[in-house]
Amino acid sequence: DEFAELCTRSDQAENPLRPVIDVVEGLLRPLHEKKADAADVERALASTDKACRDFCEVEIAKARDEQTALVADVSRNLDLQQGAVEGCVKDVKALKDALGEDALGQFIEKYEASDAVVKADLEKHGAGLDEAVAGLEGVRSDLARAPDEDRVKYMLAALRDDLEAA
């Protein structure tokens, strides 16, 4: 009964144990009905047992082969990944050696110093630009107060007339 439950418990459509329980039940049915010879049933059970053992050995061998192939794939991929990691470690070490231990700190200090110089120059040039703009505004104001060309021609003509009259 336990074996029958084990064989029918799975909901898989292709339960490999289903045919086994069908054979066993077929062999036991005549015994339950008292129509079979015990020796015949014993021989049939022994044959079924051998068939089951052979089936299990074949399936176990297939599973071992699949497992061996999967382990080989995992091992191969692991070796590839390990090689890639070792390559990256070597590259990082080479970069560190090329840069030196304090190269980044020195680079930052030099950058900050040159950045300060550039900012000071920009402020100085900005102040000079502000002075130039103020000077241009003064010139523009002076030009706005100066007489235009027609007015200057009129003044010169009036001055010439005054000189001729004098």
Side-chain angles (χ1 to χ4, degrees):
D1 288 337
E2 289 178 35
F3 183 68
E5 182 182 332
L6 176 68
C7 293
T8 58
R9 185 179 340 161
S10 176
D11 292 335
Q12 294 177 346
E14 296 180 16
N15 182 353
L17 297 176
R18 183 56 135 162
V20 173
I21 193 63
D22 290 342
V23 170
V24 171
E25 284 177 349
L27 292 172
L28 292 177
R29 193 173 303 118
L31 265 184
H32 288 296
E33 296 171 358
K34 307 271 190 233
K35 295 180 183 176
D37 180 27
D40 290 340
V41 171
E42 197 62 40
R43 274 191 304 277
L45 282 175
S47 171
T48 303
D49 181 52
K50 182 178 179 343
C52 286
R53 288 183 191 277
D54 292 346
F55 174 79
C56 288
E57 287 175 10
V58 168
E59 292 300 314
I60 288 171
K62 285 180 189 176
R64 281 189 182 135
D65 290 345
E66 289 176 9
Q67 184 181 20
T68 301
L70 290 173
V71 167
D73 275 351
V74 168
S75 179
R76 198 171 21 260
N77 287 335
L78 184 60
D79 289 344
L80 290 173
Q81 295 301 322
Q82 186 175 4
V85 168
E86 288 172 357
C88 288
V89 167
K90 286 179 184 176
D91 290 345
V92 168
K93 185 177 180 337
L95 284 173
K96 282 183 177 179
D97 290 345
L99 293 175
E101 289 298 317
D102 296 327
L104 184 59
Q106 292 172 356
F107 173 77
I108 290 172
E109 288 175 11
K110 287 179 184 177
Y111 172 79
E112 288 174 348
S114 67
D115 188 49
V117 169
V118 168
K119 284 181 181 178
D121 287 347
L122 284 175
E123 288 176 12
K124 186 170 93 177
H125 290 297
L129 184 61
D130 290 342
E131 290 175 13
V133 167
L136 285 174
E137 287 175 356
V139 169
R140 189 178 286 155
S141 172
D142 290 344
L143 285 175
R145 285 185 301 215
D148 65 354
E149 185 179 346
D150 292 337
R151 175 85 176 136
V152 171
K153 285 180 185 177
Y154 173 74
M155 290 169 60
L156 286 174
L159 184 59
R160 192 174 347 151
D161 289 342
D162 285 345
L163 285 175
E164 286 177 4

